[in-house]
Amino acid sequence: MKKILAILLAVFLFALVRVGLKNAEKMQWYTAGVSLRYEEPLQSDVVHDAHKQNASLTFWCQQEDILEIENKQIHATIFLYNGDMAMVWGRPLKIGSIPSPFDESGCVLSSGAAYALFGSENVVGLFLKQGNTTYVVRGIFESNDLLAILPVSTAAFTAVEIPYTEALWQDPDTQVTMLSQETGLPTPQWQLYPKEIFAIMQWTLYIPILFSGIVLLSLFAHTIKGWPVIYRDGLVFLILLLLILALPFFFQVWPQWLTPSRWSDFSWWRQVLSQLKNHFYAWLSIIPSYRDVCIKTIVLCHLSIIAGQCILCEWLRCGLQKIE
């Protein structure tokens, strides 16, 4: 009976990991690049020169403003961007498609904003105004909040998105410094790395899988004690082979700059810990945008799932001790 209960706890732990992975998938909406943030808006000539030097950069800012149609207007949270909208807001669309980087008149609305403004979410192709500029709705994403993402050529941009490259994934801080120097961007007050958080979230979810696997293997070992040696050795070899095959997958989602070239290099560990501390402090000290609040909400949900996993792991450990 105790063995069955332990197995059920392990299965439930696996299910909870699946829930955690689904929650972690939402982080991918915001992990397309590194986000540089500024206290003061960037000058228009700085934005122009930087975009000329590197066309992959996306500039954006958040503000509260009025959206209107002929006979109605609403007060909404608006993201103004210059570049690729997917770098700013990666939520999958419910209806329509995101505007291309060259589409200067297409916008995207939340379902809440669409209902508040038009009375329906089937509004792709309809027009709205923000200030003196007219936009056509290209797509709708699911959210009850009043949100809009609008392209502009110039605005009081306070954020820059840098798309991830292989070099940026290997050494983010150095690459960001080099890119800022090449494009003439000022030193940002904060540098945010959402993809780094996503990788850590995935790894913390896989650790309980390993723990529950060890527990189940221990229970299984008691069952196969009477097996012939050749069968037991074959089973152990198969398990080790599966673990080796799984390692490349685990390291694929892990930031390369967090993998040491030499595990005994203590100066490397000090440097990495200092970097992680700075990255963590940036998330705490930044003046959050709506997008940052979404990321922090996902992280809080993740922490609650991890807490549940820890409780299940402790139950499994106690159950295993009783069985032994």
Side-chain angles (χ1 to χ4, degrees):
M1 185 65 183
K2 291 178 180 178
K3 287 185 178 182
I4 295 176
L5 179 61
I7 293 173
L8 289 176
L9 285 173
V11 171
F12 189 70
L13 180 59
F14 274 84
L16 194 59
V17 169
R18 180 58 182 167
V19 173
L21 290 174
K22 282 289 186 181
N23 180 67
E25 285 178 3
K26 298 178 182 178
M27 273 296 297
Q28 290 185 295
W29 302 344
Y30 311 101
T31 58
V34 174
S35 189
L36 310 183
R37 306 294 178 84
Y38 299 88
E39 284 186 313
E40 299 294 332
L42 297 170
Q43 300 293 327
S44 58
D45 57 337
V46 172
V47 173
H48 179 269
D49 293 342
H51 219 167
K52 187 176 180 181
Q53 291 292 329
N54 191 331
S56 66
L57 298 179
T58 297
F59 299 83
W60 64 278
C61 61
Q62 176 185 313
Q63 66 181 43
E64 304 294 319
D65 207 343
I66 301 296
L67 298 177
E68 58 183 327
I69 56 177
E70 290 184 357
N71 57 354
K72 196 171 186 179
Q73 63 181 22
I74 62 171
H75 191 272
T77 299
I78 299 174
F79 290 94
L80 301 175
Y81 73 93
N82 182 3
D84 186 357
M85 195 205 84
M87 295 294 298
V88 180
W89 193 256
R91 286 193 184 185
L93 296 185
K94 186 177 181 181
I95 302 173
S97 59
I98 65 171
S100 72
F102 304 101
D103 186 352
E104 299 181 355
S105 62
C107 71
V108 171
L109 298 177
S110 66
S111 55
Y115 271 110
L117 199 58
F118 297 98
S120 170
E121 63 181 27
N122 297 312
V123 296
V124 173
L126 300 184
F127 294 89
L128 60 83
K129 291 185 67 176
Q130 187 258 332
N132 296 321
T133 307
T134 301
Y135 295 95
V136 58
V137 179
R138 304 291 188 199
I140 302 294
F141 61 89
E142 186 66 43
S143 176
N144 293 327
D145 297 319
L146 305 183
L147 303 171
I149 299 94
L150 312 176
V152 294
S153 56
T154 58
F157 296 121
T158 56
V160 183
E161 298 297 315
I162 306 173
Y164 267 108
T165 61
E166 187 65 25
L168 192 61
W169 189 231
Q170 291 179 355
D171 189 0
D173 288 348
T174 302
Q175 292 299 318
V176 166
T177 301
M178 291 175 57
L179 187 140
S180 297
Q181 293 173 349
E182 292 171 359
T183 58
L185 287 172
T187 303
Q189 278 69 43
W190 304 279
Q191 295 176 196
L192 305 181
Y193 301 90
K195 194 171 185 178
E196 179 182 291
I197 297 178
F198 174 64
I200 294 174
M201 286 173 63
Q202 284 189 308
W203 266 74
T204 53
L205 286 169
Y206 291 139
I207 291 173
I209 292 181
L210 179 62
F211 181 88
S212 59
I214 292 172
V215 171
L216 292 177
L217 286 175
S218 299
L219 293 174
F220 190 61
H222 284 78
T223 306
I224 64 173
K225 279 182 179 179
W227 287 19
V229 176
I230 187 172
Y231 294 141
R232 282 185 292 169
D233 290 346
L235 181 62
V236 171
F237 174 78
L238 179 61
I239 292 171
L240 292 176
L241 180 62
L242 292 175
L243 289 174
I244 292 172
L245 293 175
L247 282 177
F249 170 76
F250 289 129
F251 281 104
Q252 185 179 5
V253 300
W254 186 250
Q256 296 179 17
W257 67 276
L258 290 178
T259 304
S261 56
R262 289 186 304 156
W263 292 90
S264 60
D265 187 352
F266 292 103
S267 62
W268 180 89
W269 287 103
R270 285 195 297 268
Q271 178 184 351
V272 167
L273 290 175
S274 176
Q275 284 182 274
L276 287 174
K277 177 183 175 183
N278 293 335
H279 296 176
F280 179 70
Y281 178 75
W283 283 104
L284 293 180
S285 61
I286 191 174
I287 302 172
S289 66
Y290 183 90
R291 179 183 123 150
D292 301 326
V293 172
C294 292
I295 292 175
K296 292 179 179 180
T297 301
I298 293 171
V299 172
L300 288 175
C301 290
H302 175 78
L303 292 176
S304 65
I305 293 171
I306 291 297
Q309 289 178 323
C310 290
I311 294 172
L312 287 177
C313 285
E314 180 62 17
W315 281 352
L316 280 171
R317 186 186 67 83
C318 295
L320 181 59
Q321 286 181 343
K322 291 179 180 179
I323 292 172
E324 293 177 346

